[in-house]
Amino acid sequence: MTQTLAIEQQQQQLMVKIKYLKLKRINDLNEKLRSELGRDRITASNACLSLINYTTNHTDYTLPDVWGHLEPGKNHFRDAVRLRRANKHPTQSDSAGCCTIV
């Protein structure tokens, strides 16, 4: 009889622990949802307008339709390639790119 009482108490304790873990999980999820709800949101159309405004107000020559092409001699990346070619050792291979892969 005392053994069955002990088993029932263990089962009750186990049930209480399971309920506590479920409650903790629900509270964690609730907190995540609250933080998600508090985040600032904008519509897709406003995000697109923001991107359009940024690209029209900041010079970016990767958009030649908007800003045109760079004038000859203004590309500092091309100047770096020219300097590297001028300073290269004669035994090094010729590379037309701007980067070196090691």
Side-chain angles (χ1 to χ4, degrees):
M1 184 130 173
T2 59
Q3 195 174 29
T4 58
L5 185 61
I7 292 173
E8 286 180 22
Q9 287 178 347
Q10 286 177 350
Q11 287 177 348
Q12 287 177 353
Q13 288 176 353
L14 183 62
M15 294 299 289
V16 168
K17 287 180 182 180
I18 290 172
K19 288 179 182 180
Y20 174 76
L21 288 174
K22 285 182 180 181
L23 178 63
K24 184 178 177 187
R25 243 185 265 146
I26 290 171
N27 286 335
D28 289 343
L29 178 61
N30 194 13
E31 187 60 36
K32 285 180 187 178
L33 290 173
R34 283 183 197 275
S35 67
E36 193 70 27
L37 185 62
R39 192 180 295 179
D40 289 336
R41 298 183 186 277
I42 60 172
T43 61
S45 57
N46 285 342
C48 291
L49 286 174
S50 177
L51 283 170
I52 290 169
N53 286 338
Y54 182 83
T55 55
T56 54
N57 293 328
H58 292 82
T59 307
D60 184 1
Y61 290 105
T62 59
L63 303 169
D65 293 340
V66 177
W67 295 103
H69 295 281
L70 275 173
E71 298 173 12
K74 294 282 185 177
N75 188 347
H76 65 277
F77 294 112
R78 190 151 184 85
D79 295 338
V81 171
R82 286 188 192 131
L83 286 174
R84 214 174 36 238
R85 284 186 183 163
N87 294 333
K88 81 173 184 170
H89 195 270
T91 60
Q92 292 177 338
S93 64
D94 190 18
S95 172
C98 67
C99 306
T100 303
I101 300 174
V102 179

